[in-house]
């Protein structure tokens, strides 16, 4: 393209980039079924496809489109006639080829270059060119290998020369016992598999040097013939032969002298190496020399990248991963020993196979619209761009005036219906190619609102609100919003209108409640949808729990009164120390309080009440302190008197004898004496415990330390406690000396990646033994340094060594010294310099979803050299991004699972069903976490839903019941409906036949008609998804009584006969009380009393005055079915309680029947005479009770 056109093209592309918005097709199943779509390749085999010749060949090619595409293949550039080969078949509704070679066919017969095409009426998509080759693991060519004889100190190369395999084999050296040969700075394996000896030693003599080649695809191992090496020590051999042949030097060759390094690999002084961007660069230098040379690496005018570079094979190999253009340049390897050094220069150039800057994207346009498809790729050399249409070069495709090609850009203007096609962009250079499909789909579709209608959004006041309006149309519809009516369009700072049609309200207020309408328009039509917004009052705790201090075994009550929106269902939850309350009946939770009875010490802690609704929550906490009850006063004895008359005798350099006179015991024998000392030189006024002696002794032989000014005192101890201290003794001074001990708890660790912090527990003043106390700190790198580095410090307990390598072992010692000499020789401890953050992230992260709440993540371990410390494990950070259900779109907090360092997989528990999660994996050491892996997203499948949010039953007619319920808070998927069951319950609480109904998911109420009146029912309801049925809610209700029965009972208190009956009962009770009182006072002067005395019936006893009690009437028919709740409506309740007189005396059977008649007799009767007639018809009162 000539230069003058660059300016207009750039302006055109800039204009199109700002004007054109790619039309995204929503993933709505119904919409996808209706819209036509060109083919898209969704899965294909790799470009370089190496197969195992022992298994059937499978070449993958999957595609999607509407209509579903058909498939064809080319092989080596010509049409592949798969029908002519009975061993080749194509999977149904797929382009995947399967070649059956189980009958002995040779896999190499199917080698070649394959390409798949997917066609439908809108276009053709093509796959990459797939080069199919079978893996090969040829045998080693037979050869006779002569034994190798080498002189001690010479260099030596053992050649492996493995057979060429596909892919290349992995080389390693072992002996005939299958033990790997040890390698070192002196002996190492080169990148080509040969074994190099910088200088041989007698211990290298062996007849079992065996090179092995492992071919990874077939998992086979080939073995080279063993190589025999014999190393001769010429000095020893000449001495032995001289003695035998009378001082004649049989072998005139001189022993090999020490020498300066010479490179064995590479052999020349300068070499060059080319590597591709993103691949691994490996350079090696192996030197001959005696003593063994050390290898180091530098890069000219730059630094070797520390994060991606590693030194292998004892620094002989430099390995750089993920090579970039910045890694090009000159690298120098240097070999040196004490006789000199030599260097080699490697000139590295970095080229690049094509890689995407901007891959082509699918384009959906409406008729007459404009659009572009760009294909930007980079590489070195710069890739050439070639366009194809439906798999054919674009210059050979049918001409289209609406399409033009400008280098890496396709420009479409004024497109017409029928212009749909699939375009391929091929970017290639000498190192590879990229191929990408992008379709142009010309659609003319009127607007559709995909958001379900009449959604009710609920939000707490002052919180943001998002009202969705998902639409589709071609051209892209314009979205407008209205509130309550279509009279005025919403606008202003209070609203935010998102590009996807969503309406956002920053601060929701009660005035924002109402009906909202979104309208979608384009030139082909109009569509609208209605949603509703309800703004709720926030939940607030008005009276929070307060601090309580309570004595043990007492009760305590925490109050928690809250306010919430009347339309929301609240739930009160209590926590103890942020956990669940103990499973203990002593904890009783009421609607607005928590009561703990018989408090124990374990009940102390922080108690939190949480008021939850479906939209928000509030919480408050208070501390509970448990104290002991005041103890009962005990008998108090006195402490002993203070010892007296302290005397020092028998003084020595480090000892002295102390005697004293005990004080009064005060009725409690002295158990022991405690001897303390004061050091007036180092800590004047501070007393320290020195030793203890039994209470029967008054003399102690004391061991002393050098350089201390001692004063002594004695305390006596009995069962009550210690006495007051005695008066101090005379001062005794010991002479200075060198330290007797060194600091303890010596440790070495790093706080930074380049330091070593040496710490110790310093000596006490008593342990110094003399003036000028210091610490001699010594260290050296383990296995590397022979000499110790040391420094003397004073008045500190740590020393920092800077400039250390990262995480290497050090030997550390700390020795005490003073003006009189050194302490004993310390022992060395091993410490490590500081760790650095890991430099690499775990790779190949994959997620396997096991079920709706559990997933397994797998990763490849990080390389040891990238850990830069002690690998402590892997952390998987995962977070729920959103729910796949539109009602649950909130984010959840990030969770982390930690796995041990030897793990490469782990499970993520407690996931929420039907959700989208993202995760990343990091490695961590003692310093912290390394970089994160590329985030992975995964979806959990549907699960069983939760219970319906509420369930209630109401009775509106004599023969019908209406049931209402709400959808579950946790839907865990798409609801497919509700399972509704019910059965009758008779007066004995026996259950009748269970009826079952299936209700649709959009139904929230149901009415049962033609039910018998005065009948109790038990109802069950549960939600279900495709995964199953969720928990069941249960409710009970009773159909209303027949009006003929209800009317008299409601007004029973106003009936004359009822008033008369109650008056008679009251008079009868009064007479009974008078009779009991007379009996009490006369002492049994009546015939019944005489009869009792005559028979002596033990069951008939005089009635005591305290026995005259009244009980509450109880009726079994009132009890609800066990495990059910009292119906919320549809029942008839009593206005008052039904009381009956409890028996007078010991008889438990004297009572009134429900109709008010007196039953039983005054004199008691035994339990064996008591009967109950269950067949008696129910009275009106009893019938009333059955509904309460």
């Amino acid at each position: 393209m000539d230069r003058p056109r660059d300016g207009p093209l750039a302006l055109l592309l800039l204009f199109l980039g700002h004007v054109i918005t790619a039309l995204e097709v929503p993933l709505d199943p119904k919409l996808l079924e209706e819209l036509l779509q060109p083919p898209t390749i969704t899965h294909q085999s790799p470009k370089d496809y190496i197969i195992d010749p022992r298994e059937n060949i499978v070449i993958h090619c999957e595609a999607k489109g509407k209509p579903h595409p058909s498939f064809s293949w080319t092989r080596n550039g010509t049409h592949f006639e798969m029908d002519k080969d009975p061993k080749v078949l194509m999977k149904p509704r797929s382009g995947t080829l399967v070649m059956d070679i189980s009958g002995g066919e040779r896999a190499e017969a199917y080698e070649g270059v394959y390409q798949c095409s997917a066609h439908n009426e809108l276009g053709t998509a093509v796959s990459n060119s797939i080069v199919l080759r079978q893996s090969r693991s040829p045998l080693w060519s037979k050869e006779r290998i002569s034994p190798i004889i080498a002189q001690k100190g010479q260099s030596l190369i053992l050649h492996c020369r493995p057979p060429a395999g596909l892919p290349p084999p992995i080389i390693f050296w072992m002996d005939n016992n299958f033990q790997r040969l040890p390698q070192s700075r002196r002996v190492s394996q080169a990148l080509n598999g040969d074994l190099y000896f910088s200088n041989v030693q007698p211990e290298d003599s062996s007849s079992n040097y065996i090179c092995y080649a492992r071919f990874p695809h077939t998992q086979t191992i080939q073995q080279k013939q063993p190589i025999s090496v014999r190393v001769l020590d010429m000095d020893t051999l000449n001495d032995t032969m001289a003695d035998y042949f009378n001082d004649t030097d049989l072998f005139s060759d001189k022993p090999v002298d020490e020498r300066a390094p010479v490179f064995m690999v590479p052999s020349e002084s300068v070499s060059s190496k080319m590597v591709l961007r993103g691949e691994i660069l490996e350079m090696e230098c192996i030197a001959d020399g005696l003593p063994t040379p050390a290898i180091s690496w530098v890069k000219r005018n730059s630094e070797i990248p520390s994060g991606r570079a590693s030194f292998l094979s004892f620094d002989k190999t430099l390995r750089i991963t993920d090579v970039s253009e910045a890694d090009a340049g000159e690298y120098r390897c240097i070999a040196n020993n004490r006789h000199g050094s030599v260097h080699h220069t490697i000139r590295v150039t970095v080229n690049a196979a094509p890689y995407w800057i901007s891959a082509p994207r699918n384009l959906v346009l409406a008729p007459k619209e404009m659009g572009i498809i760009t294909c930007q790729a980079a590489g070195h050399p710069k890739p050439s761009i070639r366009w194809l249409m439906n798999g054919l070069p674009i210059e050979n495709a049918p001409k289209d005036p609406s399409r033009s090609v400008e280098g890496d850009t396709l420009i479409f203007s004024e497109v017409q219906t029928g212009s749909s096609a699939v375009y391929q962009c091929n970017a290639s250079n000498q190192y590879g190619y990229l191929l990408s499909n992008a379709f142009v789909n010309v659609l003319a579709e009127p607007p559709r609102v995909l958001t379900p209608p009449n959604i009710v959004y609920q939000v707490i006041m002052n919180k943001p609100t998002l009202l969705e309006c998902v639409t589709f149309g071609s051209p892209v519809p314009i979205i407008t919003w209205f509130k309550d009516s279509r009279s005025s369009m919403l606008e202003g700072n209070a609203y935010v209108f998102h590009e996807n049609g969503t309406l956002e309200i920053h601060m929701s207020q009660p005035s924002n409640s109402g009906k909202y309408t979104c309208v979608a328009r384009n030139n082909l039509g109009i569509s609208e949808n209605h949603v509703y917004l309800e703004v709720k009052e926030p939940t607030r705790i008005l009276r929070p729990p307060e601090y309580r201090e309570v004595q043990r075994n007492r009760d305590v009550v925490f109050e928690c009164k809250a306010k919430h929106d009347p339309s929301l269902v609240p739930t009160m939850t209590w926590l103890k120390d942020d956990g669940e309350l103990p499973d203990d009946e002593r904890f009783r939770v009421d609607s607005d309080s928590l009561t703990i009875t018989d408090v124990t010490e374990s009940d102390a802690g922080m108690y939190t009440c949480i008021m939850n609704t479906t939209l928000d929550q509030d919480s408050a906490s208070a501390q509970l302190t448990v104290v002991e009850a005041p103890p009962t006063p005990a008998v108090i004895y006195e402490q002993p008197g203070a010892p007296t008359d302290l005397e020092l005798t028998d003084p020595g350099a480090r000892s002295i004898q102390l005697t004293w006179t005990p004080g009064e015991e005060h009725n409690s024998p002295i158990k022991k004496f405690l001897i303390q000392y004061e050091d007036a030189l180092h800590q004047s006024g501070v007393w320290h415990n020195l030793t203890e002696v039994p209470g029967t002794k008054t003399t102690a032989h004391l061991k002393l330390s050098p350089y201390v000014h001692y004063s002594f005192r004695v305390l006596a101890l009995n069962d009550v406690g210690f006495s007051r201290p005695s008066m101090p003794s005379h001062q005794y001074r010991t002479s200075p000396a060198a330290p007797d001990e060194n600091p303890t708890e010596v440790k070495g660790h790093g706080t930074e990646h380049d330091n070593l912090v040496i710490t110790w527990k310093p000596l006490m003043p008593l342990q110094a033994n003399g003036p000028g106390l210091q610490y001699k700190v010594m260290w050296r790198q383990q296995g590397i340094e022979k000499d110790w580095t040391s420094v003397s410090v004073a008045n500190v307990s740590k020393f920092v060594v800077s400039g250390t390598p990262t995480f290497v072992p050090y030997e550390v010692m700390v020795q005490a010294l003073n003006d009189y000499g050194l302490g004993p020789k310390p022992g060395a401890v091993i410490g490590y310099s500081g760790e650095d953050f890991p430099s690499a992230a775990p790779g190949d992260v994959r997620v396997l979803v096991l079920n709706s709440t559990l997933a397994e993540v797998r990763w490849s371990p990080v390389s040891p050299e990238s850990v830069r410390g002690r690998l402590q494990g892997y952390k998987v950070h995962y977070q729920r991004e959103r729910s796949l259900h539109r009602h649950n779109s909130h984010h959840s907090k990030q969770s982390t699972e930690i796995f041990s360092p030897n793990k490469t997989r782990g499970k993520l528990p407690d996931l929420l069903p039907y959700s989208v999660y993202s995760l990343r994996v990091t490695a961590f050491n003692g310093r912290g976490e390394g970089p994160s892996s590329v985030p992975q997203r995964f979806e959990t499948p549907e699960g069983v839903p939760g219970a319906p949010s509420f369930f209630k039953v109401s009775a509106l007619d004599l023969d019908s019941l209406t049931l209402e319920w709400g959808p579950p808070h946790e839907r865990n998927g798409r609801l497919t409906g509700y399972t509704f069951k019910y059965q009758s319950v008779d007066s004995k609480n026996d259950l009748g036949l269970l009826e079952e109904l299936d209700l649709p998911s959009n139904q929230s109420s149901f009415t049962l008609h033609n039910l018998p009146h005065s009948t109790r029912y038990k109802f069950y309801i549960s939600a279900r998804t495709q995964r199953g049925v969720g928990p069941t809610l249960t409710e009970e209700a009773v159909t209303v009584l027949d009006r003929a029965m209800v009317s008299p009972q409601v007004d029973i208190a106003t009936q004359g006969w009822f008033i008369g009956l109650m008056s008679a009962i009251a008079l009868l009770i009064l007479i009974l009380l008078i009779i009991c009182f007379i009996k009490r006072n006369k002492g049994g002067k009546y015939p019944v009393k005489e009869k009792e005395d005559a028979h002596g019936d033990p069951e008939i006893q005089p009635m005591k005055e305290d026995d005259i009690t009244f009980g509450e009437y109880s009726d079994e028919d009132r009890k609800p079915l066990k495990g059910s709740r009292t119906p919320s409506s549809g029942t008839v309740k009593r206005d008052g309680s039904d009381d009956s007189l409890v028996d007078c005396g010991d008889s438990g059977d004297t009572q009134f029947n429900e109709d008010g008649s007196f039953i039983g007799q005054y004199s008691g009767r035994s339990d064996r005479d008591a009967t109950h007639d269950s067949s008696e018809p129910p009275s009106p009162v009893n019938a009333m009770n059955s509904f309460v």
Side-chain angles (χ1 to χ4, degrees), residues 400-413:
D400 186 349
S402 66
R403 180 189 68 232
S404 62
V405 180
E406 297 291 347
D408 60 2
T409 304
L410 288 179
I411 303 174
F412 300 90
S413 58

Side-chain angles (χ1 to χ4, degrees), residues 665-685:
E665 291 186 347
H666 295 153
N667 300 321
S668 179
I670 295 176
K671 299 172 67 176
K672 65 180 179 180
F673 292 99
L674 173 64
I675 301 173
Q676 297 179 329
Y677 73 93
E678 174 197 24
D679 181 3
L681 178 62
H682 300 103
Q683 288 181 301
S684 180

Side-chain angles (χ1 to χ4, degrees), residues 643-836:
T644 58
D645 303 330
L646 271 65
E647 184 178 359
L648 298 175
T649 59
D650 300 334
R654 295 197 181 189
S655 66
I656 200 167
Q657 184 165 289
L658 174 66
T659 60
W660 63 89
T661 301
E664 292 290 335
E665 291 186 347
H666 295 153
N667 300 321
S668 179
I670 295 176
K671 299 172 67 176
K672 65 180 179 180
F673 292 99
L674 173 64
I675 301 173
Q676 297 179 329
Y677 73 93
E678 174 197 24
D679 181 3
L681 178 62
H682 300 103
Q683 288 181 301
S684 180
V686 179
W687 290 89
H688 303 276
N689 294 339
L690 180 59
T691 187
E692 295 177 351
V693 297
T696 56
K697 292 187 177 182
T698 58
T699 302
H701 189 76
L702 306 179
K703 294 182 179 180
L704 308 179
S705 298
Y707 196 53
V708 178
H709 296 179
Y710 283 101
S711 295
F712 302 98
R713 70 182 186 184
V714 183
L715 295 84
L717 175 69
N718 63 9
D719 288 335
V720 180
F722 278 102
S723 68
R724 290 180 294 104
S726 68
M727 294 298 294
S729 69
H730 297 296
Q731 190 177 87
Y732 180 73
R733 300 183 179 184
T734 55
S735 300
D740 294 326
E741 52 188 314
N742 290 312
T744 58
E745 300 181 16
V746 178
K747 299 177 182 177
H749 66 281
T751 58
E752 298 293 338
H753 67 90
D754 59 351
N755 76 359
L756 172 69
V757 180
I758 303 173
T759 61
W760 61 89
K761 182 179 180 181
L763 298 180
M764 301 294 293
L766 188 66
Q767 300 169 305
N769 285 6
L773 176 64
Q774 291 184 309
Y775 302 102
K776 184 179 181 182
V777 184
M778 297 165 279
W779 69 91
R780 67 181 179 186
Q781 188 173 345
Q782 187 183 29
I784 302 297
E785 300 172 343
K786 294 183 179 179
D787 299 328
W788 292 87
T789 304
S790 65
V791 64
S792 294
V793 295
N795 301 321
V796 295
S797 60
K798 74 174 182 179
F799 181 77
V800 180
V801 181
S802 301
T804 65
T806 301
F807 197 67
V808 295
Y810 277 84
E811 295 178 271
V812 176
M813 297 191 299
V814 180
Q815 186 178 26
L817 70 155
N818 60 19
D819 294 345
Y820 289 82
L822 292 169
K825 183 178 179 180
V829 298
I830 303 299
Y832 281 80
S833 57
E835 301 179 76
D836 203 350

Side-chain angles (χ1 to χ4, degrees), residues 153-158 181-182 185-188 195-201 204-205 209 229 231 259 264 286-289 316:
Q154 287 182 336
S155 61
L156 177 64
I157 304 174
L158 300 184
L181 296 178
R185 288 173 51 196
R186 188 175 60 84
V187 183
S188 61
L195 192 63
Y196 282 77
F197 296 77
S198 295
N199 51 81
V200 294
Q201 300 298 323
D204 297 328
S205 295
Y209 286 95
V229 174
V231 179
R259 60 192 180 279
M264 305 167 71
I286 303 175
D288 162 16
K316 299 176 188 178

